[in-house]
Amino acid sequence: MNITKENIDALNAVVKVEISAADYQDKVEKILKDYRQKANIPGFRKGQVPMGMVKKQYGKSIMIDEVNKLLQESLNNFLVEEKLDILGNPLPKMQDDFNWDADDYAFEFELGLAPEFDVDLTVKNKITQYNIVADDELLSKEVENLQKRFGKLVAKEVVEEGVTIAGSFANEEKGIDKKSTIALEDIKGKANQKKFIGKKVGDVVELESKGLFEDDHKLMGALGLGHDEVHGLEIPITLTIEEINVTELAEVNQELFDKIFGPDSDVKSIEELKEKIKEDAEKQFQQQADQQLLNAVTEYLVENTKFDLPAEFLKKWLAVAGEKPMTPEQATEEFDKSEKGLRYQLIEGKVIKDNNLQIDFKELQDFTKGFVKAQMAQYGQLNPEEKDLEDIVQRVLSNQDEAKRLQEQLMSQKLLSFYKENITFKVKEVNYENFVKEVYK
């Protein structure tokens, strides 16, 4: 057997695999002998079937099977031994004059080679790293939300600003008859809100579904419909009022602190309450800021790391790689959609390799343990037994999809830490509202 590689250019190559009869004949003969021993053919005792008959019946299919096995194994070994970094998979070149009746065979495969490039972390136009702070306005709103959460409902005789209304939404044509509770402030527009003001229990309010709420999700909940059903929905609906309530805010005192954090909490004043809210909020903000920073670095590196791809090869490969073949036009469209992601995969791989950002199994176990502990804490299990924790970690990592997901999360953390250490950012302090405006437009 002989394997050679011819470079077409820096991104494309052809591998030629030459297989002679001597490479596969012994294996084929051995399999045929086994077939002869086991074959049940009428007129012959088991093991006494003439070899010529066995060869005639099974010889060619066995030979083809063994040549293909040898071809695949030798090609894979060649790619590993030559340390070829390829994109996609080798594509066999079609041969019009190929003949399985010959003894010797030659196969050719097209390869798309990964480009060589360097990643420059010297950022010219500095990337913004956001430091999101919980400002006084947010803290005051959160205190008020807690007061509402632990406050008490007080029945009102008529609808006025600030109330919640419980009742039944109805539309006979669509079969809608849904009990719901809504906040008057969620109703969109003063004209709609005015229809409610002054109404009492038992009154019926006539409404239009279109533009009733600021958010379609609230309309879905109120009417008990799915997303597709409320999209563009324009029907008359009625609301029969059954309850009118207002939330009387809980007083900000030790009783409230104990309800929120438990009787053993260190929170003893509104200042300490706000400090606790600030701490918790800014932890969550940090996660969002980190994700935004990683996204920004990704965008920057993709835009500023220049290299060519074996585009024509990849389009040909995409056309045959999936379950359903694609037309050349479909493959080109798919390549255009996936090119940016492929470029970042190559850049990320280069950064990981050049800076030895590998993950060992112990790191993955520890990361998974932290993830599991955080999940358990949400359900009140703050101090799980170590053995129970290790058993759960083992079960989680035995699931390949889950293990892969956690490994990707851990690698994202490693990359983020690496970028923070090696790229100079422009730090900007903002409140959460301005962060959302700037980042998500």
Side-chain angles (χ1 to χ4, degrees):
M1 183 166 46
N2 185 42
I3 305 181
T4 56
K5 177 172 72 75
E6 177 189 355
N7 288 329
I8 307 302
D9 54 38
L11 297 172
N12 296 275
V14 172
V15 170
K16 186 174 184 179
V17 183
E18 297 175 312
I19 297 177
S20 65
D23 297 317
Y24 61 82
Q25 199 61 54
D26 288 349
K27 182 71 173 174
V28 170
E29 291 292 337
K30 182 178 183 303
I31 294 172
L32 285 171
K33 286 178 183 178
D34 289 343
Y35 267 56
R36 185 185 180 215
Q37 295 298 319
K38 298 172 183 176
N40 287 311
I41 296 180
F44 297 94
R45 285 186 297 168
K46 194 171 183 178
Q48 298 300 313
V49 180
M51 180 58 81
M53 184 177 289
V54 175
K55 283 186 177 181
K56 184 177 180 181
Q57 189 166 351
Y58 303 108
K60 177 172 275 191
S61 63
I62 291 173
M63 181 271 293
I64 292 173
D65 190 41
E66 288 305 309
V67 168
N68 279 321
K69 287 180 184 177
L70 182 61
L71 174 63
Q72 193 62 54
E73 182 182 356
S74 58
L75 179 60
N76 289 341
N77 289 340
F78 179 78
L79 297 177
V80 172
E81 289 165 5
E82 295 294 314
K83 298 179 180 177
L84 293 177
D85 192 1
I86 66 171
L87 301 179
N89 290 316
L91 283 177
K93 294 184 72 173
M94 296 298 103
Q95 301 176 49
D96 294 334
D97 59 348
F98 187 84
N99 182 10
W100 279 112
D101 291 328
D103 291 327
D104 301 333
Y105 306 100
F107 303 90
E108 290 186 340
F109 294 86
E110 296 179 65
L111 302 182
L113 305 177
E116 293 186 6
F117 59 91
D118 292 317
V119 179
D120 185 4
L121 297 178
T122 308
V123 177
K124 294 174 184 176
N125 299 318
K126 288 189 178 173
I127 299 167
T128 300
Q129 180 180 7
Y130 288 95
N131 177 28
I132 310 172
V133 296
D135 60 11
D136 289 340
E137 183 180 353
L138 182 142
L139 296 178
S140 295
K141 283 182 180 177
E142 288 303 310
V143 170
E144 185 177 339
N145 287 338
L146 289 169
Q147 287 179 274
K148 286 181 180 178
R149 179 181 165 192
F150 292 95
K152 63 180 181 180
L153 288 179
V154 176
K156 304 290 287 186
E157 291 188 4
V158 297
V159 176
E160 58 188 42
E161 287 187 9
V163 302
T164 59
I165 303 162
S168 295
F169 283 96
N171 174 279
E172 188 174 347
E173 181 186 349
K174 292 286 185 180
I176 297 171
D177 184 11
K178 175 74 165 53
K179 289 184 179 294
S180 301
T181 300
I182 61 171
L184 183 61
E185 63 187 23
D186 290 335
I187 296 297
K188 184 177 181 180
K190 290 186 177 179
N192 275 331
Q193 290 189 7
K194 193 174 180 181
K195 294 178 182 179
F196 289 87
I197 300 298
K199 291 292 190 291
K200 300 178 181 179
V201 171
D203 287 347
V204 177
V205 185
E206 295 184 355
L207 305 161
E208 293 291 331
S209 62
K210 184 180 179 182
L212 182 57
F213 289 96
E214 295 284 354
D215 183 350
D216 272 354
H217 289 90
K218 293 188 184 296
L219 182 63
M220 288 164 55
L223 303 185
L225 299 177
H227 183 273
D228 292 339
E229 294 175 293
V230 301
H231 183 68
L233 183 68
E234 294 187 41
I235 59 171
I237 51 178
T238 60
L239 172 62
T240 303
I241 298 175
E242 296 169 1
E243 288 184 36
I244 305 167
N245 296 303
V246 67
T247 301
E248 188 176 278
L249 299 182
E251 288 187 39
V252 181
N253 55 24
Q254 193 61 49
E255 183 182 355
L256 177 63
F257 305 149
D258 291 346
K259 285 179 179 177
I260 299 170
F261 303 109
D264 299 327
S265 166
D266 293 332
V267 177
K268 306 295 181 186
S269 66
I270 188 169
E271 290 76 22
E272 290 175 342
L273 173 61
K274 286 185 175 181
E275 189 57 40
K276 179 67 174 170
I277 295 171
K278 181 179 176 68
E279 180 185 333
D280 292 343
E282 290 182 354
K283 278 183 184 177
Q284 295 182 29
F285 294 161
Q286 186 62 51
Q287 292 176 7
Q288 288 185 261
D290 282 346
Q291 186 59 57
Q292 186 278 331
L293 183 63
L294 188 58
N295 292 344
V297 173
T298 298
E299 289 286 337
Y300 179 88
L301 292 178
V302 170
E303 292 297 322
N304 292 276
T305 306
K306 304 299 181 184
F307 54 81
D308 293 326
L309 292 170
E312 293 309 311
F313 168 84
L314 288 170
K315 291 172 189 176
K316 287 168 66 176
W317 173 69
L318 284 168
V320 299
E323 290 183 8
K324 294 182 179 179
M326 295 183 186
T327 64
E329 293 75 19
Q330 288 172 327
T332 297
E333 185 180 345
E334 184 63 27
F335 173 76
D336 291 341
K337 286 193 293 186
S338 59
E339 181 182 2
K340 191 173 183 180
L342 174 58
R343 287 184 176 277
Y344 185 66
Q345 283 181 11
L346 292 170
I347 293 168
E348 184 184 84
K350 176 77 171 170
V351 171
I352 291 169
K353 182 180 178 182
D354 288 354
N355 298 281
N356 196 30
L357 302 179
Q358 306 302 324
I359 294 173
D360 61 39
F361 189 65
K362 179 66 167 59
E363 283 182 294
L364 184 58
Q365 282 181 312
D366 291 342
F367 180 76
T368 305
K369 188 179 290 188
F371 172 78
V372 171
K373 285 179 73 173
Q375 292 286 307
M376 295 176 77
Q378 290 183 6
Y379 295 96
Q381 296 175 267
L382 301 178
N383 296 299
E385 294 288 335
E386 189 65 22
K387 186 180 184 308
D388 293 340
L389 202 54
E390 289 177 358
D391 288 344
I392 295 172
V393 168
Q394 188 174 351
R395 285 201 302 274
V396 169
L397 294 179
S398 66
N399 182 316
Q400 289 188 350
D401 291 339
E402 193 67 15
K404 182 182 178 184
R405 185 180 68 82
L406 289 164
Q407 190 167 358
E408 289 172 350
Q409 286 184 7
L410 177 54
M411 181 52 73
S412 291
Q413 282 192 9
K414 281 200 162 195
L415 283 166
L416 181 64
S417 297
F418 174 79
Y419 292 144
K420 283 183 175 181
E421 291 171 6
N422 292 275
I423 298 177
T424 302
F425 298 108
K426 177 176 66 179
V427 179
K428 185 173 184 179
E429 186 173 287
V430 292
N431 62 21
Y432 185 70
E433 184 179 355
N434 287 333
F435 171 76
V436 172
K437 284 180 182 177
E438 289 190 27
V439 173
Y440 303 110
K441 305 293 186 287

